[in-house]
Amino acid sequence: MRVVIVVLGDFGQSPRMQYHALALADSGRDVEVIAYAGSAPFRAVSDHPRITMHLTRAPTAVARRRPGFVFVVRQLMRLCGQGLGLLWKLLLIAGKPDIVLVQNPPAVPSLAIALVAARLRSARLVIDWHNFSHAMLALRLGPDQRAVRMLRWHERAVGRRADAHLCVSRAMQSELRAHWQIPGAAVLYDRPAEMFAPTPPQERPILLRRILNGVAQWPGDGRPPAIIVCPTSWTADEDISILIEAAARCDEIARQRSAGGFGELLILVTGRGPLRDHYEREIRKLTLHRIHLRTLWLVAEDYARLLGSADIGVSCHRSASGIDLPMKIADLFGAGVPVCALDYGPVLAEQVRHGDNGLLFADAEQLAAQLYELFEGFPDHTPLLDRLRDQVRSQPRISWRDGWNTEAAQVFAA
């Protein structure tokens, strides 16, 4: 069996689709990947003898400062070029597939092109629903815009024609069944790969000094700081402004209440994305004393080791649809790290249990209070942090491969 995976984005920043490729290849399928180049994929993917990658450079984004009519025309031309290039690869470059697996978002032009190619090549089309494209667009334009309504109609009309569906949460499964007339979507939860695990204590200082060389320095008194990691894609559904404000508030609380009992916090915001420059400018405006806020980008293996060295993680994911779940939280749990997560709706209860494996916050003030409570006596007396960490590390670990075998393997059965 041959499976062609379509990702209209940076394949190296699409861990879920890389995990699909590995699981399919390890189960005996030949896998071809059509995606954009950028970040390096996992070595296990790039070195796998059954995985062939057709990676091309992403088209240049259209500048928004152009006049409205010019912007729309250029954007349509860009989408047409993407669609034709994708169709060419699916029909003439990739081998004849038995299954085409496509990631959504983005819905345009990938869903329609994947459907056409699958039908022309007598293949089954499987959509992996990570979120909804129209909900992402609504973050920028507002939910009542005509473009958002048209995209929703297109996404729904084309999506219903697929042969099988995967999705990331039970809430999304219910939405697809109730409002999209897609009754059979299988829930495949994001789970950590094997590389996400607690970093041994003796390796932690050496690793941090190597990773943070040129990014941050240890405090002058030599006492190691608490490490907080906030993974982000720097997109509109990641509200990093909350973290920035919380860092300033927590720093103020520490200066007012503590006389040496509150140490140094090093907050590391990782990842690449379109809003990184904007938020870095906001970070540079801060004047902090006990808290150090830094941004960095790491290769996948170092990223996993950094998570395993963290004391706590922060998720600022503000879901566009309200029914997706952030993979970063699954990775943090795999690394044995509890999380403080922005509470954006009931779906989050499928992943985070407040007071058990993490804490939920609604705004910057609440996050600042949580950080102060977690680290007031660090590293000697941190009862709340210790309890959360113990709960995370005691919960049963289900690997991506185990979850895939249980929840998704039947979708790809011959």
Side-chain angles (χ1 to χ4, degrees):
M1 176 180 286
R2 174 179 282 109
V3 180
V4 174
I5 295 177
V6 176
V7 180
L8 212 63
D10 183 344
F11 187 58
Q13 293 193 53
S14 304
R16 182 176 170 98
M17 303 310 285
Q18 293 187 67
Y19 296 158
H20 272 304
L22 280 173
L24 288 163
D26 286 345
S27 62
R29 279 82 162 183
D30 292 319
V31 177
E32 296 191 53
V33 176
I34 297 175
Y36 291 138
S39 307
F42 303 139
R43 287 198 200 98
V45 173
S46 56
D47 294 344
H48 202 292
R50 284 189 174 272
I51 298 175
T52 302
M53 292 185 286
H54 309 286
L55 304 182
T56 57
R57 181 182 299 177
T60 304
V62 181
R64 292 188 173 275
R65 60 180 176 271
R66 294 178 179 274
F69 175 76
V70 175
F71 173 79
V72 171
V73 171
R74 290 290 300 274
Q75 189 74 350
L76 288 174
M77 292 175 60
R78 180 175 182 266
L79 290 174
C80 288
Q82 286 181 297
L84 290 173
L86 178 57
L87 187 62
W88 173 269
K89 292 183 180 69
L90 282 167
L91 295 181
L92 298 174
I93 302 299
K96 185 181 184 305
D98 299 285
I99 293 175
V100 176
L101 170 63
V102 60
Q103 168 188 288
N104 185 69
V108 178
S110 52
L111 289 189
I113 297 300
L115 176 63
V116 169
R119 295 296 177 261
L120 289 175
R121 308 204 75 175
S122 301
R124 295 171 59 224
L125 176 64
V126 179
I127 299 176
D128 191 7
W129 298 85
H130 300 189
N131 209 328
F132 296 138
S133 288
H134 74 274
M136 300 292 291
L137 184 62
L139 286 178
R140 301 201 306 267
L141 302 183
D144 298 326
Q145 292 293 318
R146 179 179 297 181
V148 175
R149 297 196 301 270
M150 291 176 61
L151 181 57
R152 185 183 188 279
W153 175 86
H154 171 82
E155 195 171 13
R156 181 174 178 269
V158 178
R160 290 171 58 190
R161 295 177 178 273
D163 301 289
H165 303 265
L166 297 165
C167 60
V168 297
S169 71
R170 297 203 177 279
M172 186 174 288
Q173 180 190 51
S174 298
E175 172 69 13
L176 290 170
R177 180 174 57 246
H179 299 115
W180 294 58
Q181 284 72 56
I182 297 175
V187 178
L188 173 63
Y189 282 117
D190 285 326
R191 295 186 175 91
E194 286 75 8
M195 64 180 174
F196 291 98
T199 300
Q202 65 275 16
E203 297 179 11
R204 187 174 184 253
I206 300 172
L207 173 73
L208 290 174
R209 290 183 187 279
R210 179 177 63 81
I211 288 178
L212 302 179
N213 183 33
V215 175
Q217 302 297 323
W218 298 104
D221 61 6
R223 183 167 57 170
I227 304 296
I228 302 170
V229 178
C230 177
T232 180
S233 54
W234 300 102
T235 51
D237 59 347
E238 299 277 344
D239 198 347
I240 302 302
S241 62
I242 290 182
L243 177 63
I244 295 173
E245 184 180 348
R249 286 174 177 262
C250 186
D251 190 74
E252 181 65 24
I253 294 171
R255 288 192 293 123
Q256 290 177 353
R257 298 184 187 177
S258 299
F262 191 90
E264 307 274 339
L265 299 189
L266 178 57
I267 302 177
L268 301 171
V269 190
T270 70
R272 285 176 178 163
L275 296 179
R276 178 171 173 171
D277 289 343
H278 165 74
Y279 282 119
E280 285 182 331
R281 287 193 294 271
E282 296 301 310
I283 291 171
R284 285 194 290 269
K285 295 177 184 177
L286 297 176
T287 302
L288 304 177
H289 298 82
R290 302 284 186 88
I291 296 178
H292 311 275
L293 199 56
R294 301 289 187 271
T295 62
L296 73 163
W297 164 256
L298 298 169
V299 297
E301 290 76 16
D302 279 346
Y303 169 69
R305 296 186 189 103
L306 175 62
L307 292 197
S309 301
D311 295 293
I312 203 160
V314 174
S315 170
C316 292
H317 182 74
R318 188 187 292 278
S319 172
S321 63
I323 54 176
D324 70 314
L325 291 170
M327 177 175 277
K328 60 182 69 68
I329 293 181
D331 293 339
L332 285 161
F333 286 163
V337 179
V339 298
C340 294
L342 176 61
D343 188 0
Y344 57 81
V347 66
L348 206 53
E350 296 184 38
Q351 193 173 40
V352 181
R353 301 182 301 276
H354 181 72
D356 182 12
N357 58 5
L359 301 173
L360 301 178
F361 61 88
D363 51 35
E365 184 174 358
Q366 194 171 9
L367 175 58
Q370 290 174 356
L371 293 177
Y372 184 82
E373 183 180 4
L374 286 164
F375 294 103
E376 182 181 8
F378 185 86
D380 301 319
H381 183 68
T382 53
L384 176 58
L385 178 62
D386 295 341
R387 178 166 59 82
L388 294 176
R389 185 189 295 116
D390 290 344
Q391 285 294 105
V392 169
R393 296 188 178 186
S394 65
Q395 62 188 17
R397 178 185 173 106
I398 302 175
S399 69
W400 168 268
R401 185 62 51 81
D402 292 337
W404 191 91
N405 288 336
T406 301
E407 298 164 357
Q410 70 275 10
V411 172
F412 300 96

